Amino acid sequence: MSAELTHFNAQGQAHMVDVGEKQITHRIAVAEGLIAMQAATLNKILQGDNKKGDVLGIARIAGIMAAKKTADLIPLCHPLALTRVDIELTPHLDRSCIHCQATVETHGQTGVEMEALAAVHIALLTIYDMCKAIDRGMVMESIRLLRKAGGKSGDWISNNPAP
C-alpha cells in the first residue's frame, strides 16, 4: 500500500487521480456491514408487514443504485462501467440484525472499493428509512472493506475479525 494520499497534488490541492495510463484489469471489491434493531422490528421485516413495502427487496435495489451512482456522491471517484453488483442481505435472529454484503466488479483502470462500500451504506440506510417509524434506535455498524482484487496493487484481504 502507498504511504501517500493520492487525491492531493504536490501543492496539497485535491485532484482526481489520473488513471489513464493504468492497465485495464478485472477488479472486484467486497464490503460488509450490519444494522442492529429491536427483535420486533426484525420480525416485522421478515413477515413482510411494512406499510412501505418489501424492506429487503427495496434495500437491495437501493444498494445496487448506490454502487452505480458512487461517482455522483463522492467528488473524486471516477465514473465506472460496473459489470456486476450483488447485494446479499442476511437476517440474524439471534443477534437481531441484518448483515449486508456487497460484491462489485468491473473491467477497468481503477478499483471498485468505494462502490462496494457505498452499496452497503445505502442498503443499510434504506432499511433504517423504511423502519424508522417503529425503531429509531437502529444502529448501522461494522461497515468495512472485506477484500479487493485486481489492479497494480493486487489482492488485499482484511485481517480484522468479522463483526
Side-chain angles (χ1 to χ4, degrees):
M1 290 186 56
S2 173
E4 299 295 319
L5 295 174
T6 59
H7 286 87
F8 294 95
N9 64 18
Q11 293 77 38
Q13 299 168 329
H15 76 109
M16 187 177 229
V17 175
D18 182 359
V19 297
E21 298 300 318
K22 291 175 113 181
Q23 284 190 325
I24 294 173
T25 62
H26 182 213
R27 310 218 180 205
I28 303 171
V30 181
E32 73 172 353
L34 61 88
I35 185 166
M37 62 194 66
Q38 297 174 12
T41 306
L42 182 56
N43 287 331
K44 197 165 192 69
I45 291 169
L46 296 178
Q47 292 167 3
D49 186 22
N50 188 302
K51 290 180 183 178
K52 291 186 176 184
D54 174 11
V55 173
L56 299 182
I58 294 168
R60 185 174 296 105
I61 296 299
I64 291 168
M65 289 176 64
K68 292 167 50 176
K69 292 289 192 179
T70 301
D72 292 337
L73 300 170
I74 301 175
L76 301 177
C77 279
H78 293 83
L80 301 176
L82 303 179
T83 58
R84 176 176 174 239
V85 179
D86 181 60
I87 308 293
E88 294 177 23
L89 295 164
T90 308
H92 293 278
L93 292 171
D94 58 326
R95 294 176 21 204
S96 193
C97 69
I98 297 172
H99 177 264
C100 178
Q101 181 171 298
T103 303
V104 180
E105 296 186 43
T106 193
H107 291 270
Q109 295 169 296
T110 190
V112 287
E113 297 93 338
M114 297 309 296
E115 287 73 12
L117 287 163
V120 169
H121 276 276
I122 297 301
L124 296 178
L125 192 58
T126 299
I127 293 170
Y128 186 95
D129 178 54
M130 294 189 72
C131 298
K132 68 182 180 283
I134 59 170
D135 187 357
R136 292 193 189 277
M138 291 176 282
V139 176
M140 291 167 272
E141 58 188 53
S142 303
I143 298 168
R144 67 189 184 132
L145 184 67
L146 284 175
R147 69 181 181 90
K148 63 82 86 192
K152 189 172 98 174
S153 65
D155 297 352
W156 177 87
I157 298 174
S158 172
N159 58 7
N160 294 323

